[in-house]
Amino acid sequence: MSDSHQAMSRRRFLAVVGGTGGAVGIAGLVGWRALIAASGAPAKTSADEGLLAVEVEAGFVGAAGWNGDLLTLRPANTAAGGMLLRAELSGVEHHVEVPEGFAGRCVGTVGDTAIIGGHRVVETGRMTYEPGTPYETLIADAGPVSELLVGEPVVPHLTGYTYALVESLASVVMSTDLESWQHFDLPLIDGRGGSFGAVLGRGKMLAADSYDIAEVTDSVYEATLISISDAAEGRVAVVREPIPIDHGSLWGSADGGIDDIIVVSDRDGTRGYASRGGLVFEITDSAELLGVEPARASLDITVRTDSGRRETRRYRDGNRAAIVPLNDSDPVRHRIAPDVTVVAPDGQQSLVPNAQVARPSGI
């Protein structure tokens, strides 16, 4: 079997890395050709000359440009678990030092700092329920019906039960060299939990799902945005009004060309908000969001409808202006950051959105 067939069968991706002013793109085998064609650059050039196509193995949760390289966040293939950042151009894998119970959910960069956001799962207490009075003792005091109870085919066996109180705390790890890592738990509101789901590079912010009850991850009631610079000092500083969420969570984020876009999805639909304020798109039907790509004077939102049809909905000033159908072979573009664009059959959904790449152990 040829190398190209092997790559196809293993659903590999290709990275297109730009030189000065260029862009890093993560593309499926079909999408890669479309991205190269759109850029006007030949398929084989050096990064200094323009664009460089680099094969990237699938199985990553998120990606970010960092010091001229492309980082992908992946689970570590070790018995101990954990996670790693792979520098795709150099091929170097950097194991990430994380505390017990940390689960990574997103990755991004601000300057020379790589940031992994997620949460830390901690046990805060235990409640033990005693088994109580034995069944045989209970039926002995049951009066005339005791003989019937004794004849039951299955006699309940009473045992004690211990319930562990497990909470999720919004948490980040940061590094400037990918070797030594700093960890910060950042309780958004005392007594409540949360999880960071997006790193917003332009606005230097972290976006978090805020839980109403720290033990219940399905109790998200808003998306909270805090300052990365304060987070690096172990402090929480909310930088804009929270985004309300009604029975849903953060979908993720996108780069809008001039601003970060925070995307939330709940029972009212899927909505994108500019980090500086304002609704930039809204999906009110049941279509699934696949990608967000800034255009010249608009924002292109690619979705999959209930019927399985993929289409791009063009928004201007927060209002839908046009719908463009996509062919089955057309790749979907989703811009993660100013220098990183996913180009794949299902855009961002071709990755593992909202996955946790480090499973907590010992809890």
Side-chain angles (χ1 to χ4, degrees):
M1 182 180 293
S2 68
D3 290 342
S4 62
H5 284 99
Q6 289 177 351
M8 185 84 73
S9 66
R10 288 156 66 180
R11 293 189 60 79
R12 286 177 175 266
F13 289 71
L14 295 177
V16 181
V17 181
T20 303
V24 179
I26 308 165
L29 294 175
V30 175
W32 168 69
R33 293 182 175 86
L35 183 60
I36 289 291
S39 70
K44 294 182 179 180
T45 63
S46 71
D48 292 335
E49 294 171 346
L51 294 176
L52 172 66
V54 181
E55 190 176 34
V56 178
E57 185 179 6
F60 55 95
V61 172
W66 184 79
N67 290 347
D69 211 325
L70 175 69
L71 302 179
T72 54
L73 179 62
R74 302 171 180 274
N77 296 319
T78 63
M83 67 185 76
L84 58 84
L85 282 174
R86 180 181 298 169
E88 297 293 345
L89 297 184
S90 64
V92 177
E93 294 187 343
H94 303 271
H95 287 266
V96 182
E97 299 173 8
V98 298
E100 183 70 20
F102 181 85
R105 188 175 161 196
C106 59
V107 62
T109 56
V110 173
D112 292 336
T113 302
I115 304 159
I116 298 174
H119 53 269
R120 191 166 66 90
V121 180
V122 296
E123 183 181 313
T124 57
R126 293 190 170 222
M127 298 174 61
T128 299
Y129 297 87
E130 300 295 338
T133 305
Y135 182 75
E136 292 78 9
T137 302
L138 292 174
I139 62 174
D141 298 330
V145 299
S146 61
E147 293 183 4
L148 294 175
L149 295 174
V150 172
E152 287 292 320
V154 178
V155 175
H157 178 63
L158 304 181
T159 60
Y161 173 71
T162 299
Y163 174 72
L165 300 171
V166 176
E167 300 182 0
S168 295
L169 303 177
S171 186
V172 294
V173 291
M174 302 182 180
S175 177
T176 57
D177 58 8
L178 306 186
E179 300 301 329
S180 58
W181 294 85
Q182 288 184 294
H183 162 252
F184 299 99
D185 285 335
L186 299 166
L188 304 173
I189 298 178
D190 288 342
R192 298 183 179 181
S195 175
F196 290 110
V199 180
L200 309 174
R202 287 186 186 270
K204 299 178 175 57
M205 294 182 289
L206 288 160
D209 284 322
S210 291
Y211 305 155
D212 189 42
I213 304 171
E215 301 168 38
V216 183
T217 59
D218 193 29
S219 65
V220 178
Y221 69 98
E222 69 178 25
T224 303
L225 283 84
I226 72 168
S227 161
I228 287 177
S229 60
D230 283 275
E233 301 294 332
R235 300 189 304 266
V236 174
V238 177
V239 293
R240 60 149 288 177
E241 290 295 318
I243 298 170
I245 298 177
D246 186 3
H247 290 80
S249 66
L250 278 164
W251 180 90
S253 64
D255 184 83
I258 59 174
D259 202 357
D260 301 299
I261 297 175
I262 305 101
V263 184
V264 302
S265 184
D266 60 16
R267 63 181 179 181
D268 293 326
T270 302
R271 303 177 300 282
Y273 297 87
S275 60
R276 299 175 188 174
L279 185 70
V280 293
F281 74 86
E282 184 174 18
I283 301 172
T284 56
D285 58 11
S286 57
E288 177 188 23
L289 178 62
L290 302 177
V292 179
E293 173 72 3
R296 290 180 180 176
S298 61
L299 198 64
D300 287 348
I301 311 301
T302 302
V303 302
R304 182 192 291 113
T305 66
D306 279 345
S307 64
R309 184 183 71 255
R310 297 183 307 154
E311 62 186 27
T312 296
R313 301 175 180 180
R314 182 155 293 170
Y315 285 78
R316 291 191 178 92
D317 299 323
N319 299 310
R320 193 165 73 188
I323 297 178
V324 180
L326 291 182
N327 297 321
D328 291 340
S329 59
D330 290 340
V332 175
R333 299 173 68 99
H334 176 68
R335 187 174 298 184
I336 294 176
D339 57 351
V340 180
T341 298
V342 172
V343 185
D346 285 332
Q348 175 76 349
Q349 301 295 350
S350 295
L351 308 184
V352 190
N354 298 324
Q356 300 172 14
V357 298
R359 293 188 299 274
S361 61
I363 294 180

